[in-house]
Amino acid sequence: MPYEWSTPPRGADPDISLSLWPHRSLPRRGFAAFVLGTFTLITIPLYPLLGTVVLWGLLPFMLAAVGGIWWALEHSYRSARVTEELVISPDEVHLTRTNPRGDVQEWDCNRYWARVQMHPKGGPVEHYITLKGSDREVEIGAFLSEDERKALYGELSDALRPPSPMAG
């Protein structure tokens, strides 16, 4: 899963932290191999045209197609540089989101008032998860898959549950 708890949600440590990041199914080496493979395969139909004027007519379109694939994959890598860090302490909940361009958004709330909510429909994605508190509602994990958001919702609910008086 593209998220990791520093301690289990029911851990004994006073601070629990959660790191979230988008899933990368194509590593950088795979990216280079894919673009090279695409270039190689797209040039195969051009071999019989070597030495003809038709080659020069088709070549720009073939190169534009490879360039478009490279640009789209590179754009995907840039937009996936988002990370989210959630720290749950005994008194406070703090969420920090670092966006792809490097700007940082933060949200703080008293742990007692913090609530996690799942919106099965109506959000930008199905089973949209938000944290609510301090008169503000913020999203968390919108870049995760639907199944990952469902699992995260249960784990966040457990982590934000107040410790029982008997556990002390």
Side-chain angles (χ1 to χ4, degrees), residues 28 31 34-35 64-76 78:
R28 279 287 183 182
F31 168 84
F34 179 76
V35 171
V66 172
I69 290 170
W70 177 85
W71 180 86
L73 289 172
E74 190 62 38
H75 178 71
S76 171
R78 279 192 308 273

Side-chain angles (χ1 to χ4, degrees), residues 61-120:
F61 296 103
M62 300 284 194
L63 292 176
V66 172
I69 290 170
W70 177 85
W71 180 86
L73 289 172
E74 190 62 38
H75 178 71
S76 171
Y77 274 98
R78 279 192 308 273
S79 64
R81 283 188 248 165
V82 63
T83 59
E84 295 177 347
E85 298 285 331
L86 178 70
V87 177
I88 304 170
S89 66
D91 299 327
E92 187 179 56
V93 178
H94 182 82
L95 177 66
T96 304
R97 177 185 171 103
T98 306
N99 292 311
R101 294 185 182 191
D103 54 316
V104 176
Q105 296 173 302
E106 296 189 61
W107 173 81
D108 291 307
C109 179
N110 184 309
R111 181 175 177 170
Y112 180 79
W113 297 109
R115 299 288 179 257
V116 60
Q117 296 180 326
M118 180 181 287
H119 308 276

Side-chain angles (χ1 to χ4, degrees), residues 9-10 16 88 111-112 114-116 153-164:
R10 296 185 183 135
I16 299 169
I88 304 170
R111 181 175 177 170
Y112 180 79
R115 299 288 179 257
V116 60
Y153 173 73
E155 293 175 20
L156 276 174
S157 296
D158 289 346
L160 287 173
R161 187 171 294 128
S164 67

Side-chain angles (χ1 to χ4, degrees), residues 36-46 61-63 65-66 69:
L36 181 62
T38 301
F39 175 75
T40 303
L41 291 174
I42 211 166
T43 60
I44 289 175
L46 296 179
F61 296 103
M62 300 284 194
L63 292 176
V66 172
I69 290 170

Side-chain angles (χ1 to χ4, degrees), residues 13-55:
D13 290 344
D15 287 356
I16 299 169
S17 67
L18 170 68
S19 300
L20 299 104
W21 60 90
H23 179 69
R24 291 267 35 119
S25 59
L26 183 64
R28 279 287 183 182
R29 289 186 74 159
F31 168 84
F34 179 76
V35 171
L36 181 62
T38 301
F39 175 75
T40 303
L41 291 174
I42 211 166
T43 60
I44 289 175
L46 296 179
Y47 295 144
L49 302 175
L50 287 174
T52 67
V53 176
V54 177
L55 171 74

